[in-house]
Amino acid sequence: MSLKNQYLQHVYDQVCRRDPDQKEFHQAVYEVLQSFEPIIRKSPELFENGLLERLVEPERGIQFRVAWVDDKGVTHVNRGFRFQFNSAIGPYKGGIRFHPSVNASIIKFLGFEQIFKNSLTGLPMGGGKGGSDFDPKGKSDGEIMRFCQAFMTELYRHIGADLDVPAGDIGVGAREIGYMFGQYKRIRNEFTGVLTGKGITFGGSLVRAQATGYGLCYFTQEALAVMKNESFEGKITVISGAGNVAIYAAEKAMQLGAKVVAMSDSSGYIYDPDGIKLDIIKQIKEVERARISRYVNLVPGSEYHEGSKKIWQTPCKIALPCATQNEIDAEAAKALLNNGVIAVCEGANMPCTPEAVEAFIAAGIIFSPGKASNAGGVATSGLEMCQNSGRYCWTAREVDEKLRMIMINIFHNSYNASKEYGMEGNLVAGANIAGFLKVASAMRAQGIY
Ligand code: NDP
């Protein structure tokens, strides 16, 4: 991959040289640096004093051993990570992911993206991310609890309500956050807002569970209206994943008038021409914790297809990838475009490969990067932090309205930046630029560190 600007290329080369195996991190850095070419021309002073070299290097990275005992008494060892990337505009903030694919590259890509995403929300939050290669699939509740406790037994020394506030991500929902919060509280003997995504009875915010999915739809709705004079109303929509983000994206898209016809998990996807019955998906995924293929046993006329990537062959006007990174490649992008898609808005982090993103932008459809359109989760985490430090409990309506306004603002800030820097409608560049300007200004004001 090569960048037009020599300085940007030099920074990128250095990142690749330092950690040659961290492909996902390289991809995320490349995508961001690409957007900076017009800023370098317009405001070169922003890049003085090695600002970019500092931005691409985490302020701190922690790797640790997590040893735990399963139900049969067997000891297992997993690896834990927390990358505290940038604290220029606030305490580090970002989720924790439990998935066997987790490694330093994935956590660094997510932590790096988080810097710009958090900045875009307008709230005072720096960027960080953590996780473990622990696989929660098939584990008993007791095993999940013991793993979460073991994970927090090391992590607690590195986090705090004014230092670093983790949240959930893939494999980490309200149950895991509850176990980790309990362990932190016991060790530190203090009840503080050190994690977000907590249960409602102990400091969680209403609407946090729905926030990423709802926020994605508020963003998409605004983009459709402003850029295409369109809406969700009557649009066939495909949503990948069947986890936290996907389920609530489907719920809000349906409320806004869309017909959601396909959803997936990592094994395959379901197609329901009459529109997905979300109560059944919730029952399968949230209560039974079963595979999505079970849907066809419960809903006559629906289909199950093995292989999750094929979901993108389904004709649709709106595509919301909400599962995982690099799930839409060039081939999937081509199928979506051939079938007349008008908007692809990312609910997951980096679900589209660079080739897919290029194809969407070249085709002139709406394409929004996760760091803009999935920022509703962390934004509501920010609202949870506000409520925790003030000991407030806002109503669902209050939180939802604040979330909606934040997402509308993120869209406009990204769109306006794309116009101001000569790339109208390129929301990738717009989001990177708008997120960067605030962080760069704070880093410059705080001196070299
Ligand atoms: P969950 O663990 O709740 O759900 C993930 C879903 O994606 C599961 O249904 C999983 O299926 C499916 N999945 C995983 N890998 C694949 C694959 N290769 N193909 C198809 N489906 C797959 O995670 P979340 O919903 O929380 O997170 C989803 C994405 O959104 C991630 O990229 C995350 O970083 C991002 N995100 C999440 C936020 C949040 O608030 N939760 C905030 C911002 C971004 P299976 O059960 O088979 O593994």
Side-chain angles (χ1 to χ4, degrees):
M1 291 201 265
S2 67
L3 293 151
K4 284 190 209 116
N5 180 284
Q6 236 180 350
Y7 170 55
L8 295 176
Q9 183 68 44
H10 160 76
V11 173
Y12 179 66
D13 288 343
Q14 195 166 306
V15 165
C16 298
R17 227 181 356 257
R18 266 212 176 116
D19 297 296
D21 300 330
Q22 298 185 351
K23 300 279 178 277
E24 293 83 359
F25 180 50
H26 302 169
Q27 185 182 336
V29 170
Y30 182 82
E31 186 245 274
V32 168
L33 293 185
Q34 231 180 357
S35 313
F36 289 171
E37 285 175 354
I39 320 185
I40 288 206
R41 283 196 296 275
K42 199 168 170 176
S43 318
E45 72 285 355
L46 288 181
F47 297 89
E48 286 167 2
N49 298 322
L51 188 129
L52 268 193
E53 285 90 334
R54 289 185 281 138
L55 192 69
V56 297
E57 186 65 19
E59 290 176 14
R60 193 173 299 112
I62 298 136
Q63 182 186 308
F64 50 98
R65 182 180 71 203
V66 188
W68 59 282
V69 181
D70 71 16
D71 289 346
K72 297 193 185 93
V74 178
T75 299
H76 297 264
V77 176
N78 285 98
R79 187 170 276 183
F81 298 96
R82 186 75 185 164
F83 279 95
Q84 298 177 330
F85 236 104
N86 193 294
S87 61
I89 63 167
Y92 310 103
K93 180 93 196 85
I96 291 177
R97 175 177 292 192
F98 291 163
H99 193 272
S101 65
V102 161
N103 55 33
S105 174
I106 289 190
I107 299 299
K108 279 175 71 181
F109 117 62
L110 291 163
F112 183 66
E113 293 263 292
Q114 200 80 42
I115 305 171
F116 308 96
K117 182 188 304 194
N118 293 2
S119 167
L120 280 170
T121 66
L123 299 172
M125 300 182 290
K129 197 83 186 187
S132 172
D133 57 2
F134 171 72
D135 186 358
K137 271 202 203 97
K139 303 292 187 298
S140 71
D141 201 47
E143 289 172 332
I144 297 281
M145 181 186 74
R146 289 195 295 283
F147 178 80
C148 289
Q149 290 174 340
F151 186 81
M152 186 52 80
T153 300
E154 172 59 31
L155 188 67
Y156 87 93
R157 10 174 152 256
H158 310 290
I159 61 174
D162 294 315
L163 167 64
D164 183 354
V165 184
D169 190 74
I170 292 180
V172 178
R175 173 180 62 166
E176 292 75 18
I177 292 287
Y179 291 144
M180 287 193 271
F181 180 78
Q183 185 72 348
Y184 181 90
K185 187 165 65 72
R186 276 185 291 277
I187 297 175
R188 296 297 287 254
N189 199 26
E190 62 181 29
F191 193 115
T192 58
V194 67
L195 290 162
T196 57
K198 299 185 290 296
I200 301 300
T201 51
F202 54 99
S205 176
L206 290 165
V207 190
R208 174 60 187 91
Q210 294 85 349
T212 308
Y214 278 21
L216 169 65
C217 292
Y218 293 143
F219 182 102
T220 306
Q221 177 86 338
E222 190 68 7
L224 284 166
V226 172
M227 294 171 71
K228 299 278 177 203
N229 196 23
E230 278 286 4
S231 75
F232 270 107
E233 195 58 51
K235 300 286 185 308
I236 300 289
T237 299
V238 166
I239 301 181
S240 62
N244 173 264
V245 180
I247 285 177
Y248 292 101
E251 184 165 288
K252 184 54 73 179
M254 288 177 196
Q255 284 171 12
L256 293 170
K259 186 172 180 187
V260 179
V261 297
M263 292 182 78
S264 60
D265 62 18
S266 58
S267 312
Y269 76 95
I270 50 156
Y271 173 68
D272 185 342
D274 298 328
I276 300 270
K277 319 296 175 282
L278 203 58
D279 52 338
I280 294 184
I281 295 282
K282 284 185 182 175
Q283 172 67 26
I284 296 169
K285 284 293 171 186
E286 294 182 339
V287 182
E288 299 174 15
R289 295 182 189 268
R291 308 307 297 158
I292 204 164
S293 52
R294 194 166 139 60
Y295 186 88
V296 292
N297 302 332
L298 305 172
V299 182
S302 63
E303 299 164 15
Y304 174 69
H305 300 267
E306 201 63 44
S308 51
K309 267 201 176 161
K310 293 196 212 117
I311 192 174
W312 305 116
Q313 311 287 333
T314 312
C316 64
K317 286 284 171 207
I318 299 173
L320 304 176
C322 295
T324 192
Q325 61 270 4
N326 293 329
E327 49 167 313
I328 298 187
D329 56 14
E331 193 191 329
K334 198 167 158 203
L336 283 163
L337 289 168
N338 285 344
N339 285 328
V341 74
I342 60 167
V344 177
C345 295
E346 294 184 338
N349 286 311
M350 212 166 73
C352 300
T353 64
E355 297 75 27
V357 174
E358 213 172 287
F360 293 141
I361 292 176
I365 66 157
I366 297 171
F367 173 76
S368 83
K371 66 170 74 71
S373 45
N374 75 24
V378 74
T380 308
S381 277
L383 300 178
E384 184 172 330
M385 288 165 73
C386 295
Q387 294 173 78
N388 289 166
S389 41
R391 304 276 191 263
Y392 301 124
C393 274
W394 293 334
T395 63
R397 184 183 289 213
E398 279 176 285
V399 179
D400 192 36
E401 188 49 24
K402 286 185 207 297
L403 167 66
R404 201 175 66 84
M405 289 317 300
I406 288 171
M407 297 313 297
I408 289 174
N409 284 336
I410 293 176
F411 167 74
H412 285 281
N413 289 342
S414 306
Y415 186 55
N416 291 342
S418 78
K419 282 202 276 193
E420 197 184 326
Y421 284 85
M423 291 174 285
E424 179 162 354
N426 181 337
L427 297 175
V428 175
N432 286 336
I433 292 170
F436 169 75
L437 291 176
K438 186 171 154 190
V439 174
S441 149
M443 283 177 75
R444 276 157 58 80
Q446 292 170 26
I448 300 170
Y449 67 101

